[in-house]
Amino acid sequence: MHKYLILLICLTICCFQKVAAQETEKKKKWNFEINVGYLFSKIKNDNYLKDEALKTQNEANLSAQVHFLYPLSKSAFFLTGLNYIKYSALSESNGNYKAFSMKTDADGFSYFPMVETSFKDHRKIINLSVPIGLKKCFAQSDESMGFMEVGFLANYFVVSQITGEGTYKKEGLYPDGTYSNVYHIIDNIPRLGYINYQNDEVRNIKTKQFNFNYFLSLGFSITASDYTELSFKGFFTSSIGDIIQSNERNKAYTEVAGDSDPYKKTTLSALGIILGIKF
């Protein structure tokens, strides 16, 4: 996928350089820029981040921006276009875990849920967004300038899912009927759910169809030719409010070991470096 994106960017640059060369005598109202970089994304939800049976690591991903800039003054531009951001995180679980709370099985006996795990969950949210913002330039010279961008992103979630792999086995830890502090592990009873499970399904993350982020970037650009500028900027964005559908927020989160925890909100953020070329 990355090689096709690079090829598309190269072709676009060639086309716009040719057009720019033909329009040297014309004053352009709209400017066009392409930005590409890596963002360290974060899917934050305290339910699974604090689940003791999971080790979760957020990931860095390629990001792309196609921006159109309309001059409002010599140093200010209205900014819009299209952004691509991928948020992802990998959760792993390997070991034996016991719930803190007791439950009652189908036969009426009290027990502690237990689970033996060896699986991974890969969370992935791909987002296309339309930026609405302002670009302000400062410290301008003939060869370089600094700039700041600020505004909002109107988001559409193209993909929001969890892909699993591996296995886990459910068991029950039952107190002895005669001796205190003595327990028995019961497993391999299908009617009680004590069997091996495959964690190989794709599960949807029930996000809102649309959501909003705010964004902020700070950088500088240098003049590369009569028609182009090269830019380097730091970029940060964060979602405004919970991205999960409202009817899903009243459902309790079940930890890997079996304990229940009230739902906590899910948010997105990303931070990284973006390189760009402006025509």
Side-chain angles (χ1 to χ4, degrees), residues 38-70:
Y38 265 90
L39 300 181
F40 293 92
S41 63
K42 186 174 185 180
I43 305 174
K44 183 181 179 182
N45 177 279
D46 285 340
N47 289 121
Y48 67 79
L49 289 176
K50 293 183 178 180
D51 191 331
E52 295 184 356
L54 290 175
K55 294 181 179 179
T56 300
Q57 181 69 42
N58 288 290
E59 300 174 327
N61 297 289
L62 183 69
S63 178
Q65 303 172 343
V66 177
H67 286 172
F68 298 94
L69 301 164
Y70 186 83

Side-chain angles (χ1 to χ4, degrees), residues 9 53 86 97 101 124 147 150 177 187 197 221 228 266 275:
I9 291 171
K86 178 182 177 181
Y97 303 95
S101 303
K124 177 173 64 176
F147 64 86
V150 63
D187 59 4
Y197 294 86
S221 64
T228 57
T266 303
L275 303 178

Side-chain angles (χ1 to χ4, degrees), residues 34-279:
I34 298 175
N35 304 308
V36 178
Y38 265 90
L39 300 181
F40 293 92
S41 63
K42 186 174 185 180
I43 305 174
K44 183 181 179 182
N45 177 279
D46 285 340
N47 289 121
Y48 67 79
L49 289 176
K50 293 183 178 180
D51 191 331
E52 295 184 356
L54 290 175
K55 294 181 179 179
T56 300
Q57 181 69 42
N58 288 290
E59 300 174 327
N61 297 289
L62 183 69
S63 178
Q65 303 172 343
V66 177
H67 286 172
F68 298 94
L69 301 164
Y70 186 83
L72 303 175
S73 69
K74 289 184 179 181
S75 61
F77 296 82
F78 169 74
L79 183 154
T80 189
L82 185 66
N83 288 8
Y84 165 89
I85 302 177
K86 178 182 177 181
Y87 304 87
S88 62
L90 179 64
S91 296
E92 298 183 75
S93 182
N94 292 281
N96 294 282
Y97 303 95
K98 179 183 78 70
F100 291 101
S101 303
M102 296 190 78
K103 294 187 177 182
T104 303
D105 67 15
D107 297 326
F109 294 100
S110 297
Y111 72 103
F112 288 102
M114 288 187 63
V115 63
E116 182 180 339
T117 65
S118 179
F119 70 83
K120 298 178 181 179
D121 276 339
H122 192 228
R123 290 172 172 80
K124 177 173 64 176
I125 296 176
I126 295 178
N127 177 25
L128 291 179
S129 59
V130 176
I132 304 294
L134 180 69
K135 180 175 182 176
K136 178 66 175 177
C137 303
F138 55 88
Q140 294 175 277
S141 70
D142 292 338
E143 297 180 350
S144 66
M145 67 176 180
F147 64 86
M148 181 178 69
E149 298 170 340
V150 63
F152 297 95
L153 300 176
N155 303 318
Y156 175 73
F157 297 114
V158 181
V159 175
S160 51
Q161 63 186 27
I162 303 172
T163 303
E165 63 175 89
T167 62
Y168 60 97
K169 180 182 180 181
K170 288 187 176 181
E171 304 168 334
L173 185 66
Y174 289 77
D176 187 87
T178 304
Y179 301 100
S180 60
N181 297 323
V182 176
Y183 296 86
H184 304 278
I185 297 177
I186 305 298
D187 59 4
N188 298 319
I189 303 178
R191 69 181 182 83
L192 296 179
Y194 300 154
I195 57 175
N196 289 315
Y197 294 86
Q198 292 292 327
N199 186 49
D200 57 1
E201 63 181 358
V202 177
R203 304 171 328 258
N204 290 325
I205 303 173
K206 295 183 178 180
T207 57
K208 299 175 183 175
Q209 190 170 12
F210 297 98
N211 195 59
F212 290 92
N213 279 30
Y214 67 86
F215 71 89
L216 173 68
S217 62
L218 187 66
F220 66 90
S221 64
I222 58 174
T223 302
S225 72
D226 291 339
Y227 324 115
T228 57
E229 294 178 4
L230 301 179
S231 64
F232 176 93
K233 65 182 180 182
F235 177 84
F236 173 75
T237 184
S238 181
S239 59
I240 300 173
D242 200 331
I243 67 166
I244 301 299
Q245 297 175 9
S246 58
N247 61 342
E248 294 294 314
R249 299 176 198 168
N250 59 356
K251 298 179 181 179
Y253 171 80
T254 301
E255 296 180 352
V256 172
D259 288 312
S260 293
D261 193 27
Y263 171 80
K264 295 179 175 62
K265 72 177 181 179
T266 303
T267 58
L268 303 174
S269 63
L271 174 68
I273 300 298
I274 302 288
L275 303 178
I277 182 167
K278 175 184 172 185
F279 305 94

